[in-house]
Amino acid sequence: MLLLNTSIYVLCKSIPYIKSKFMNKSFHLASAIAFTALFSSCVKDTVKDKPNLLIIMTDEHSIRTLGCYRNYLADSQKNLWGESLRIETPNIDRLAAEGALCLNFYSSAPVSTPARASFQTGLYPASTGAPINGMAMDANLETFADVLAENGYSTTYVGKWHLAGVPKLRGRMFYEPGYSFGWQDRRFMFESDHEKWYKVVEEPNRIHITNSRAEDTDGYHYSTDFLTDKAIELLSQRDERPFCLMLSIPDPHSPDLCQDPYVSQYAGIELKTPETNSKELLDMRPGWGVGGKAQAERFEPGKVKNYFAMVKCIDENVGKILAYLDNNNLDENTIVVFTADHGDMLYNHMRVDKGCPYDDAVRVPFIIRYPSVINKGKLVKRAYSITDFAPTVLGLMGMRGIENVHGINDCSTLTNSSDIVPADRMVYITDSPFSEWTAVTDGRYKLVLSCKEKPWLLDIEKDPLETVNYYEDLQYSEIRDRLQKHLLKSMESYDDPALKLGRPFLYNTSDSVTYVSPYHGMNRKQINKIEKETLDRYVLEMYCLLYTSPSPRDVEESR
């Protein structure tokens, strides 16, 4: 039966790849085509006045490593690895000083594919066709790049995509994967690789990738340098149209490797294990914070140091991009966004990577600069989800919105005269791939419901390291009830997979855990195998129709 399931899964997952071979034109939904026809003359007249958009997205990026965010962290948060640690990111900090810093910005699900699908579409993962890593985003969906392309923009994507569901090629990248989703120039869009060194073996984009490159090997370039240089090169070759360019840097995702001089800058620093790794606190962790392949066996300071080195390399490359905009008089009319798909635990609570509802995994940087439109140094405390990006940026650019999105268009908050926006909103977060928890937060308070643990209510201001459960504290009863009501409504409204999969969530402290995780007691290799089997069943039960039903993009291509 498992063999049959796997075969059907492979067939389902192969369809987007097969279709992509014939994908050379941009697709627009019927409503988009009508909109274009109606406003085409207006587009021609105003094209020079439209703002450009430049997005820099990193992968698995902890806000603790950015100076502009560290300024607002409690001492216990910013000194997680020691009080003497200094992480300097002057170029990213410059963006925050010249634009708005969103203090409470959250991933829709702290895993790459579902978060990236939400970023492109404004939808929560269950509605994108890609709620699990490695799945292909539903070809019927419209993205913010589709809207911009229809309105006369050149759209270019450089770096990691992870939304096409195509296989990984050993030793080389899979470029221009799947459908374009509005991205016209995808020469340097690749599906998903985290090897650190690239070498072009055939122009433009047959590239050998490796993690074992020797320092004196000719022809290899570090990934962040290579992709940034390509982004700047493509910008220099642009035509007269306004542009949208997204640079998706695969760092500082593991493996934790980098190049000099960045590695040397952090090699000599002393790091301590986070205080959450004491036996007492580890024993107090909730069920959703224990086990799985992100459970670390020990603190490894060398890997954390190399993570800092990757961040420093990213910051210097951000500086190169900002210098290009400055030197070419593009800075005033270009919206610049710096963000990430999800965070990294970095050994807090003896966990690495992502995949859990701790702030280290779900909270991400989001900085946006738009000179003369967004106040310099604006601090936004209102909670946002990554689903809010597409509708908000389109609103900021004066474009029509994507229909039926889950995120909100809050461009008016970014452009108003207030220098500080208070925290007054809750956002919903989901789990992938096992749908074992779900959460809601307003930036200070966070409620986590799970099938592995009784409800947990966290107070980030009072307990920044998230070690205390306030769910049964009478002083928090109103807060608890308000968050739980919002979370239950969100689970239903956004089709949380946990409901479809029948996960026995605990909604009261009197409930008992009856669920046994499929990876209980397993090592990382065994968990990877179980994840694959879970993905097979998930696709079969819930999402296979997205890959076998006719797609409007195919209809467009057949004309």
Side-chain angles (χ1 to χ4, degrees):
M1 182 61 183
L2 177 59
L3 179 62
L4 175 61
N5 287 358
T6 304
S7 300
I8 298 174
Y9 161 73
V10 171
L11 173 62
C12 293
K13 297 297 287 182
S14 299
I15 291 172
Y17 166 65
I18 295 169
K19 292 175 181 176
S20 72
K21 288 296 186 180
F22 307 98
M23 178 61 191
N24 297 312
K25 301 177 183 178
S26 297
F27 163 77
H28 307 297
L29 297 172
S31 60
I33 295 171
F35 184 94
T36 304
L38 183 62
F39 293 101
S40 59
S41 60
C42 181
V43 168
K44 292 177 183 177
D45 291 340
T46 63
V47 69
K48 291 184 179 180
D49 298 323
K50 294 179 178 179
N52 304 306
L53 175 61
L54 196 155
I55 305 161
I56 304 168
M57 174 178 276
T58 56
D59 194 337
E60 203 167 280
H61 201 150
S62 169
I63 63 169
R64 298 181 198 272
T65 64
L66 301 175
C68 51
Y69 276 90
R70 287 171 63 83
N71 293 336
Y72 297 100
L73 295 178
D75 288 344
S76 60
Q77 289 179 307
K78 66 182 177 184
N79 297 329
L80 187 68
W81 309 285
E83 294 183 8
S84 62
L85 179 62
R86 295 291 180 269
I87 304 173
E88 297 180 350
T89 51
N91 297 295
I92 297 171
D93 296 351
R94 174 194 164 187
L95 276 178
E98 296 176 354
L101 182 147
C102 294
L103 196 58
N104 299 306
F105 199 91
Y106 296 90
S107 181
S108 58
V111 184
S112 181
T113 294
R116 289 166 181 267
S118 292
F119 187 84
Q120 295 290 324
T121 64
L123 298 170
Y124 278 102
S127 298
T128 67
I132 297 178
N133 261 359
M135 296 182 76
M137 190 163 70
D138 179 7
N140 296 284
L141 298 179
E142 188 177 30
T143 69
F144 70 89
D146 278 317
V147 176
L148 294 179
E150 125 197 337
N151 279 275
Y153 277 76
S154 68
T155 55
T156 302
Y157 195 104
V158 176
K160 177 179 173 179
W161 178 241
H162 213 183
L163 295 173
V166 294
K168 182 175 180 178
L169 304 177
R170 183 177 177 82
R172 61 169 293 198
M173 289 178 173
F174 196 125
Y175 274 91
E176 300 185 80
Y179 293 102
S180 69
F181 286 101
W183 296 103
Q184 300 157 344
D185 189 338
R186 302 188 299 143
R187 281 173 284 177
F188 297 99
M189 172 196 278
F190 59 86
E191 178 59 0
S192 177
D193 289 287
H194 288 283
E195 283 79 1
K196 303 299 184 180
W197 283 274
Y198 301 173
K199 181 179 181 179
V200 178
V201 295
E202 182 181 332
E203 293 289 352
N205 58 10
R206 185 178 176 87
I207 297 173
H208 182 260
I209 54 178
T210 181
N211 279 327
S212 58
R213 172 247 185 195
E215 289 294 329
D216 59 352
T217 304
D218 292 334
Y220 282 91
H221 302 273
Y222 189 71
S223 56
T224 300
D225 295 338
F226 178 88
L227 294 170
T228 301
D229 290 346
K230 287 300 177 186
I232 292 174
E233 178 185 319
L234 294 177
L235 281 177
S236 68
Q237 297 170 359
R238 71 188 186 282
D239 54 29
E240 72 284 355
R241 291 176 294 168
F243 67 81
C244 168
L245 184 143
M246 183 164 177
L247 170 60
S248 179
I249 297 171
D251 274 358
H253 192 290
S254 58
D256 298 307
L257 302 170
C258 196
Q259 62 178 342
D260 272 330
Y262 311 109
V263 171
S264 298
Q265 291 178 27
Y266 294 97
I269 64 174
E270 294 293 328
L271 298 181
K272 69 172 186 178
T273 188
E275 63 180 88
T276 54
N277 293 338
S278 68
K279 184 179 185 306
E280 178 185 3
L281 290 179
L282 288 178
D283 290 343
M284 292 169 56
R285 288 177 299 175
W288 44 259
V290 180
K293 64 181 183 180
Q295 177 71 52
E297 296 181 0
R298 63 188 180 280
F299 177 58
E300 298 187 59
K303 291 185 176 181
V304 178
K305 293 176 186 180
N306 282 349
Y307 186 97
F308 297 160
M310 287 189 280
V311 173
K312 186 64 177 178
C313 180
I314 289 169
D315 184 74
E316 292 206 355
N317 277 277
V318 169
K320 286 161 55 176
I321 293 172
L322 297 182
Y324 177 84
L325 297 178
D326 293 342
N327 295 336
N328 289 274
N329 297 317
L330 293 169
D331 53 321
E332 288 297 317
N333 197 41
T334 300
I335 301 169
V336 180
V337 171
F338 181 87
T339 190
D341 53 358
H342 53 76
D344 192 317
M345 292 300 295
L346 284 177
Y347 298 94
N348 197 12
H349 302 278
M350 200 54 80
R351 300 189 68 80
V352 294
D353 302 337
K354 61 275 185 180
C356 63
Y358 284 122
D359 257 21
D360 300 76
V362 299
R363 189 175 168 200
V364 298
F366 188 89
I367 302 165
I368 183 167
R369 185 186 76 174
Y370 189 2
S372 303
V373 177
I374 295 176
N375 287 356
K376 291 182 178 180
K378 190 182 187 91
L379 180 65
V380 182
K381 297 182 180 180
R382 175 175 294 170
Y384 289 112
S385 163
I386 206 168
T387 59
D388 299 321
F389 169 75
T392 296
V393 80
L394 289 174
L396 188 62
M397 300 173 77
M399 302 292 157
R400 69 166 180 86
I402 304 170
E403 294 184 1
N404 301 317
V405 295
H406 298 149
I408 65 168
N409 171 10
D410 207 30
C411 68
S412 60
T413 295
L414 294 176
T415 59
N416 67 26
S417 59
S418 300
D419 290 326
I420 299 178
V421 178
D424 57 3
R425 181 175 180 242
M426 292 179 280
V427 294
Y428 153 77
I429 308 164
T430 64
D431 176 33
S432 172
F434 295 112
S435 300
E436 294 177 334
W437 57 265
T438 188
V440 65
T441 182
D442 62 4
R444 174 175 176 176
Y445 304 108
K446 183 195 302 175
L447 175 67
V448 182
L449 297 179
S450 173
C451 54
K452 300 176 69 175
E453 181 62 61
K454 295 181 179 182
W456 263 63
L457 178 65
L458 297 156
D459 183 341
I460 310 299
E461 184 177 297
K462 190 174 182 179
D463 173 37
L465 295 181
E466 301 177 278
T467 62
V468 179
N469 184 5
Y470 294 95
Y471 191 86
E472 292 186 288
D473 190 321
L474 294 178
Q475 296 181 26
Y476 288 80
S477 59
E478 186 277 329
I479 296 167
R480 175 198 67 206
D481 294 345
R482 175 167 53 87
L483 266 65
Q484 186 149 337
K485 180 180 179 181
H486 185 93
L487 180 51
L488 295 176
K489 182 178 179 181
S490 296
M491 290 176 69
E492 183 176 351
S493 298
Y494 302 130
D495 207 16
D496 195 299
L499 299 179
K500 284 189 175 182
L501 295 171
R503 294 286 188 255
F505 273 30
L506 282 67
Y507 299 103
N508 301 285
T509 54
S510 59
D511 293 342
S512 299
V513 177
T514 59
Y515 174 79
V516 178
S517 174
Y519 56 78
H520 179 72
M522 295 182 176
N523 61 33
R524 192 179 184 95
K525 184 176 180 180
Q526 292 170 321
I527 293 171
N528 283 335
K529 182 175 182 293
I530 289 293
E531 265 192 10
K532 174 63 168 59
E533 294 171 358
T534 299
L535 177 56
D536 293 348
R537 292 194 299 272
Y538 202 99
V539 172
L540 286 166
E541 294 172 9
M542 299 176 65
Y543 290 100
C544 195
L545 287 178
L546 293 176
Y547 304 112
T548 56
S549 59
S551 163
R553 293 182 188 264
D554 296 321
V555 175
E556 178 74 10
E557 286 305 308
S558 66
R559 291 174 180 171

